[in-house]
Amino acid sequence: MKKERKQRLAFERVKHNFSQIQRQSFSSRARSLWHNESSIRSQLRQLGNLTLTDFPDGQEVYAQYTALLDNVSRRVLEQYNRKTGTNYSFDAVVAENRAEYLRSGILSVLLSSHIPGMVRGEFHRLLPRFPQDEYPEARREKRMFYLHLGDTNTGKTYQAMLRLRQSPSGIYLAPLRILALENYERLNAEGLPCSLLTGEEEVLTPGAKHLCCTVEKANLSGKYDVAAIDEAQLLADSQRGDAWTRAILGLSCPEIHLCGAMLAKEQLTAMIRDCGDDYEFKSYTRLVPLQPEYAPVKLKSVGKGDALVAFSKAAVLSLSRYLGQMGIRSSVIYGDLPPEVRKGQYDAFIRGENPVLVATDAIGMGVNLPIRRLIFTELEKFDGESRRPLTSQEIKQIAGRAGRIGIYDVGYVACLDERIPVVEEKLAAEDEPIEQAVVGPSESILQIGLLPLREKLALWSTETETLPYYRKKDVNTELFLLDILEPYHLPEQMQWRLMRVPFSLGNSALLAQFSGYAHACFIANAQHLEKPVPEGPSCEQLESYYQQINLYYSFSKAMNLPLDEQWVLDTRNRVSDRIRSALEALRWVRPEKTFRGRER
């Protein structure tokens, strides 16, 4: 009885409120409509908590409120249409979302359900159903793929580059700038004119019909006789994999050589079959055997041809300093090193000037070095999200750098601790095959209106691929950059161009520089960009400055602004020299205790 009385009072209160809310709604100005709509939906929620059949006029009161909500919501939508220049229909918006509309309001349904639904429809209409269909020029050409797959350090890329050298024209796609640079220099040294294109430079060689470039810079409108794509297994990488997928599906080239790990075979052959192309497969196995060393390595015993692998810049520098204190010179390699410095470090190791190499897993990709013994200092790495054990493929990729035909007929693999059985087990393990290639958003997304580019990209990333062996790229980096550009209200074509400017978002100096350049271009109307200035003499500051020079170059190119390319070239060389000197100085400071405790 008490509950029934409480419900009766609640119903009478809502019923009594109707007249007042109705008067307010009819007399309200546009700016107050959202408040009226909210009040009406509040009363409807209260009615929804009651059993309306218990009241003779329950359904009538509910109908009065819903009719009033429809009236106010139509006016809210008309106001929105005037403000945004759109023409959304109230009936169309609520047709399939009536319950959500009553719960959340007209604009909520419009923005969270109706517009995304329309955009999805446009995705299906304008974007190809299958990834290979995005490249009609390539589909009109019958292509032959040569798959060079297998172990590290087995001549896969060498064989592909032989065909490239023999061709009238060709393109080599590299995973790293240093690999593009090295092959560019090698081809030119052999008398074959070759140009270079990366995110940081463009060097046009007169008469060149060959090009070495990073995979992201591949020009799919170009025509080549032979293409070589290195490290093809990276098509599964969540951040960069779409560049490999795009090149494999989209290159207009009759002969394409894919070099990579065996675990990519099934994925690559599925993609080639979908394109209607043919392929030949060649398996590569090591001619130089890998032999585990079961005794833990003592750091004081390392010598000529040894390479120690750690998984952070700090660990690499700490190791190098510790070895230096024992009179052991070492070359160092880590991701932040400029290519010019990295090449110098490689050369010093090859010449024997620095008998030992200390490196991150960057050593696992690309350059073949005369390494006698590969020593793991640890078997875990931080992958950007968490610290995890190395995979079997990672261990094979790194350990495979040991041994070199004609120099070291056996490659040795060792650890600083007793965990060599773990390495041995993973070297023998069968790798899990790649199951999905990563696809990025198509530029066709710019043809779709209705939502800002950021929201379209976010929505695109939630759509499931039609074919199960593809998946969407992680677009968080792009979304972050579009957030930075949002205040400038740029045309989407400009946003698209700038979100592809290469730089590390994890570097606060580079992020501030990117934001500053955006302000200079779109607020201050600058006709050229300010050159960066070094923050200090430390190795880390110089490495950051080198990357700032690259961003100055890349942003200027993206905006078609004049830039001092000679200054870029000269300053890179000067900074690289200073980094070399800073690395030398670092070797002789007091060592950290990090690796002293591992001595036995």
Side-chain angles (χ1 to χ4, degrees), residues 185-241:
E185 292 177 342
R186 186 176 294 120
L187 291 177
N188 280 296
E190 294 171 355
L192 182 64
C194 181
S195 295
L196 175 70
L197 178 63
T198 73
E200 293 81 17
E201 71 258 281
E202 181 177 11
V203 182
L204 301 178
T205 303
K209 295 187 181 298
H210 289 74
L211 172 67
C212 289
C213 67
T214 44
V215 66
E216 282 88 354
K217 300 298 287 186
N219 177 13
L220 300 190
S221 63
K223 299 288 185 179
Y224 312 97
D225 293 295
V226 172
I229 305 176
D230 218 348
E231 304 293 351
Q233 75 277 357
L234 290 178
L235 54 72
D237 184 84
S238 61
Q239 297 292 333
R240 298 182 64 204

Side-chain angles (χ1 to χ4, degrees), residues 223-402:
K223 299 288 185 179
Y224 312 97
D225 293 295
V226 172
I229 305 176
D230 218 348
E231 304 293 351
Q233 75 277 357
L234 290 178
L235 54 72
D237 184 84
S238 61
Q239 297 292 333
R240 298 182 64 204
D242 61 309
W244 276 265
T245 302
R246 172 178 175 269
I248 292 166
L249 298 179
L251 275 173
S252 293
C253 181
E255 181 179 332
I256 301 176
H257 294 258
L258 302 179
C259 309
M262 188 65 71
L263 53 77
K265 181 183 177 183
E266 295 304 318
Q267 177 66 40
L268 292 172
T269 54
M271 294 166 65
I272 293 167
R273 284 194 299 267
D274 286 346
C275 291
D277 297 323
D278 297 324
Y279 70 90
E280 287 184 8
F281 165 67
K282 182 177 180 181
S283 174
Y284 289 73
T285 54
R286 291 181 60 89
L287 298 177
V288 176
L290 277 179
Q291 182 174 316
E293 287 189 353
Y294 293 96
V297 174
K298 296 181 179 180
L299 286 175
K300 64 183 178 183
S301 72
V302 299
K304 182 175 172 57
D306 282 342
L308 295 107
V309 176
F311 294 95
S312 72
K313 172 182 171 181
V316 165
L317 293 176
S318 177
L319 265 170
S320 182
R321 286 196 295 266
Y322 188 62
L323 293 173
Q325 289 294 308
M326 294 188 291
I328 302 171
R329 293 186 61 84
S330 60
S331 288
V332 297
I333 300 296
Y334 50 85
D336 285 343
L337 275 186
E340 297 88 346
V341 181
R342 189 181 298 198
K343 187 174 185 302
Q345 295 293 306
Y346 284 147
D347 290 344
F349 176 71
I350 292 169
R351 292 192 304 266
E353 179 183 327
N354 294 334
V356 174
L357 178 67
V358 184
T360 63
D361 50 343
I363 194 179
M365 190 179 296
V367 182
N368 290 325
L369 297 167
I371 296 172
R372 182 184 71 88
R373 178 172 61 169
L374 195 295
I375 304 167
F376 286 94
T377 65
E378 50 190 330
L379 297 178
E380 296 83 27
K381 67 178 288 188
F382 181 73
D383 61 7
E385 295 181 0
S386 62
R387 188 167 176 82
R388 60 166 177 79
L390 298 177
T391 66
S392 61
Q393 176 58 27
E394 287 169 334
I395 283 183
K396 290 175 184 177
Q397 191 87 358
I398 297 167
R401 293 298 167 191

Side-chain angles (χ1 to χ4, degrees), residues 494-556:
M494 180 66 73
Q495 295 179 55
W496 183 267
R497 195 186 312 165
L498 290 177
M499 78 179 191
R500 292 172 176 267
V501 170
F503 74 98
S504 170
L505 269 67
N507 185 314
S508 58
L510 294 176
L511 198 56
Q513 183 184 2
F514 182 91
S515 299
Y517 282 166
H519 184 274
C521 289
F522 308 121
I523 300 298
N525 296 317
Q527 299 306 302
H528 64 86
L529 299 177
E530 293 294 326
K531 297 171 183 174
V533 177
E535 294 182 0
S538 75
C539 191
E540 186 171 335
Q541 288 169 324
L542 290 170
E543 288 164 359
S544 181
Y545 181 48
Y546 188 97
Q547 294 175 47
Q548 288 175 284
I549 297 167
N550 290 341
L551 182 53
Y552 161 76
Y553 174 90
S554 302
F555 204 107
S556 297

